[in-house]
Amino acid sequence: MTTTLHERLTVALHSDPFQAAPNWPPLADAAPVSRHDRFLTLLEIYDLTTAPLERVGVRAAWAGHPTIAALKLRLEQQWLADLAANESLDGAGDPVAAIRKIAAKDRLPRVYRWVSEQASLDELRRFLAVEGGPDAGFDDLVALCQIGLSGAPKIELARNYWDEMGAGEPAGVHTELHREMAAVVGIPDLPRTQLPEAALERAALGGLLATNRWLQPEMIGALGLTELQAGPRCRMVLAGLKRLQVPERAHAFYAEHAEVDPRHGKDWLEQAIAPLATQHPDWSPRMVRGARWRWQVNAGLFDSLEIAREMLPAA
């Protein structure tokens, strides 16, 4: 049986980073066996920097190891080439207009109407386990995205982050609302190895942007697109929860996003992206590019779920 790169990396990361031999881990020329393997491997590497420390422990020391850093760079270069090959040619003269145009395309994929109108409770659980919700560490991404900014963009991202933090109310923190919703609905905690390739790629985009400082403009565009598109999708999930008579205490997460994300998207464009385009004109096409990347990984996931809903992993 072929050993995947992800399996080899996992073995390596469970060894002591402070006692490793100079030629360990033996991954200098290692290659993934598939795109699915590529994203599993990258997500494992991103965890070293972005996952809670209590989860990764001393393994976090591997993040700066030359072999791990070189492996990360090789895999990301392949991925960035894929993203560039699939990019559309929307004009970026006005980044606000360009990102609005991207956001309007497939703002509400058909699979969300299925969730709203037809999905059974078990199908809803499996869909949400793969789709992951609009947060997926969004608060941490916004925090990282503020580094080095100033003026109106810094204030806007801080305001957005404060909303993510429930405006100071611990019970209103969005990640806490998501945990409550997941517990009430009974969403299965699927191992990454059971997720489809498109779901892994979508999840990995945040790690790509968060661990490469040079991609800050792309990160700003990608997060802005997330805010612009989340509102109507969350309304469809909320409608599905109500139709299936899921207890009301599970509604708050999607109700909150359905209400505030359209405002967040508008403010992100006007108070962050527009002034940043003035401050740094060379950032304009890059912010648009980041929005396209987010749209691409979204489209890949939703297309795959629309084509083959029956392939959602079993609960």
Side-chain angles (χ1 to χ4, degrees), residues 115-251:
V115 166
S116 172
E117 300 169 2
Q118 299 177 34
S120 68
L121 181 57
D122 187 56
E123 288 171 332
L124 175 65
R125 290 181 181 124
R126 289 182 281 137
F127 171 80
L128 294 178
V130 174
E131 188 257 7
D135 268 23
F138 192 85
D139 52 354
D140 289 340
L141 295 178
V142 174
L144 286 169
C145 204
Q146 295 182 52
I147 296 172
L149 300 183
S150 61
K154 182 91 165 186
I155 295 299
E156 179 52 38
L157 269 64
R159 186 182 297 116
N160 187 292
Y161 183 77
W162 188 238
D163 280 355
E164 290 287 328
M165 293 296 101
E169 292 293 332
V173 173
H174 289 188
T175 50
E176 292 302 321
L177 295 179
H178 187 273
R179 288 191 188 99
E180 173 74 3
M181 181 275 297
V184 173
V185 176
I187 300 175
D189 185 12
L190 296 176
R192 284 177 181 159
T193 53
Q194 293 184 23
L195 293 173
E197 176 189 304
L200 295 176
E201 182 174 20
R202 185 181 190 238
L205 184 65
L208 172 71
L209 300 173
T211 63
N212 286 281
R213 180 66 193 282
W214 68 278
L215 290 175
Q216 186 176 21
E218 285 81 1
M219 188 178 189
I220 291 167
L223 297 183
L225 191 80
T226 300
E227 293 284 26
L228 284 165
Q229 293 192 318
R233 297 173 183 181
C234 290
R235 284 194 289 274
M236 292 292 101
V237 176
L238 182 60
L241 294 173
K242 291 179 178 178
R243 174 179 58 81
L244 293 166
Q245 300 182 334
V246 174
E248 282 193 23
R249 67 182 187 277
H251 296 181

Side-chain angles (χ1 to χ4, degrees), residues 2-27:
T2 301
T3 301
T4 66
L5 178 57
H6 174 246
E7 290 168 340
R8 294 172 62 188
L9 176 67
T10 301
V11 170
L13 294 181
H14 278 85
S15 59
D16 187 337
F18 302 107
Q19 300 295 326
N23 61 344
W24 181 266
L27 299 171

